[in-house]
Amino acid sequence: MSPDGNMWSIGELAERAGVTVKTVRFYSDRGLLPEGVRSTGGHRRYGPEALDRLRLIRSLRTLDLPVPQVSRILDEEDSLEDVVAGKLREIGSQLTALRWQEAALQLLQDCAPEERAERLRLIGAVTVPPNTAPLARFWRRWLPPRLPARLASAIVDQAVPQLPEGPTPTQVLAFTRLHAFVTAPCSGTGQGQPAAHGPDGGRPAVLYDGLREAYALAARQMRAQRSPHEGESLDCFVSAYARSRGTRDTPAFRHRLSGVLAADPRIDHYWNLTAELTGPSEPTPGVTHDWLCAALDNQTTRAAS
């Protein structure tokens, strides 16, 4: 301790804290480290509380917090808990971006020279870290108009895949192709919806609500590695179409429905890319739809024979 009471000079405080005099002066000049008093010669003097505060400042700066934010924490304008949570989110986003960049670079390194230009184009069209907003917009355009907002949001949430935080090069390629697919201009007229789902398909809200339930039931069967078959999931699937049209589920209706679904254009490309992105462990709605269509085809074929 300094001879003049419990006060230290700027040099003594710097030595005790293990920092330079320049550092102490920097924080003092910005008001983060209030000085106690001035000596008779006009030199700064600091008390023991300054050492504790300086150590706290150093700890906060070690976390890469900017000086203004450190100041707000010290003045209790920002809570340390909120700042730490925000910093964790920021670092998480940065790490995700780095992992996607690493996988993208690996994708370019491993491909044949003649593929590199195309892959660079795909990669360059996607933000890093990527987001799924273009996929959600695609589905909102694709869905029938005037669906209840709750139902439309649930369908979009189910149709848009979760992105892996640490993707493989294959997953990066799948997502960039998926992004290119959903952002490409639509050719022809209409939105490419299956005819069975279009404006002549009855009440779309009833249809899509029923399909969500049927897909969930079919997904359980698929996780159990069951082949397409009759049962609760198929009945729910057909019932969704029948109720949306105000008709009954009969063998004749199933036969007609099988033909309509088999003849309708599907967005298999979207679901194939989604499966590459998410992996085979969780069936996509597109895969479960195909499973149910196959179950319906099997049933109607047996009935006809």
Side-chain angles (χ1 to χ4, degrees):
M1 198 66 67
S2 174
D4 48 339
N6 295 328
M7 307 300 290
W8 295 308
S9 69
I10 190 171
E12 290 170 331
L13 177 61
E15 183 179 359
R16 287 174 178 272
V19 300
T20 65
V21 170
K22 182 179 179 181
T23 297
V24 177
R25 186 174 290 114
F26 174 84
Y27 292 134
S28 294
D29 290 344
R30 280 156 181 76
L32 273 71
L33 192 64
E35 58 193 63
V37 294
R38 291 270 179 167
S39 69
T40 55
H43 299 293
R44 307 182 197 201
R45 315 296 289 178
Y46 299 88
E49 69 281 355
L51 179 58
D52 293 336
R53 192 172 175 93
L54 182 56
R55 285 170 174 164
L56 176 57
I57 292 169
R58 290 189 64 200
S59 297
L60 293 172
R61 291 289 287 144
T62 299
L63 298 174
D64 200 29
L65 298 179
V67 171
Q69 196 165 46
V70 170
S71 178
R72 291 195 297 272
I73 293 172
L74 295 173
D75 293 340
E76 298 184 351
E77 296 176 10
D78 291 348
S79 74
L80 180 59
E81 291 80 4
D82 290 343
V83 171
V84 168
K87 193 65 178 177
L88 283 171
R89 287 192 296 270
E90 178 187 336
I91 291 175
S93 180
Q94 292 171 349
L95 288 173
T96 299
L98 288 173
R99 293 185 186 110
W100 275 83
Q101 288 175 343
E102 180 183 32
L105 289 168
Q106 192 70 50
L107 179 67
L108 292 173
Q109 184 180 59
D110 295 345
C111 72
E114 60 271 17
E115 297 176 315
R116 201 155 289 146
E118 173 64 11
R119 293 191 176 184
L120 269 173
R121 184 187 66 80
L122 291 170
I123 291 169
V126 175
T127 61
V128 177
N131 70 75
T132 56
L135 280 65
R137 287 194 294 269
F138 168 82
W139 277 99
R140 291 193 180 278
R141 290 193 304 266
W142 190 85
L143 290 171
R146 295 182 297 279
L147 274 184
R150 172 198 59 81
L151 179 58
S153 295
I155 294 170
V156 171
D157 288 345
Q158 192 174 24
V160 174
Q162 294 290 321
L163 300 183
E165 292 185 358
T168 64
T170 299
Q171 288 174 314
V172 168
L173 182 60
F175 180 76
T176 58
R177 286 175 171 167
L178 193 56
H179 181 274
F181 172 70
V182 300
T183 56
C186 292
S187 59
T189 59
Q191 296 175 293
Q193 293 175 313
H197 297 192
D200 297 330
R203 295 175 293 169
V206 174
L207 173 62
Y208 279 87
D209 205 21
L211 288 179
R212 289 185 63 235
E213 182 182 356
Y215 293 164
L217 292 170
R220 295 177 197 168
Q221 301 296 315
M222 296 180 71
R223 292 188 198 102
Q225 299 184 339
R226 300 285 304 279
S227 58
H229 61 276
E230 301 174 31
E232 182 184 11
S233 58
L234 179 58
D235 291 344
C236 183
F237 180 67
V238 175
S239 175
Y241 284 99
R243 285 187 293 108
S244 72
R245 288 162 171 74
T247 188
R248 293 185 304 111
D249 176 6
T250 64
F253 176 78
R254 292 196 175 208
H255 181 77
R256 291 195 304 272
L257 180 63
S258 178
V260 171
L261 293 180
D264 277 339
R266 294 304 312 270
I267 51 171
D268 289 335
H269 186 57
Y270 179 96
W271 294 121
N272 288 338
L273 291 173
T274 299
E276 290 179 26
L277 180 62
T278 60
S281 58
E282 186 60 26
T284 67
V287 170
T288 53
H289 185 94
D290 291 343
W291 188 95
L292 288 162
C293 286
L296 180 60
D297 289 344
N298 292 343
Q299 184 187 53
T300 55
T301 299
R302 284 197 301 272
S305 61

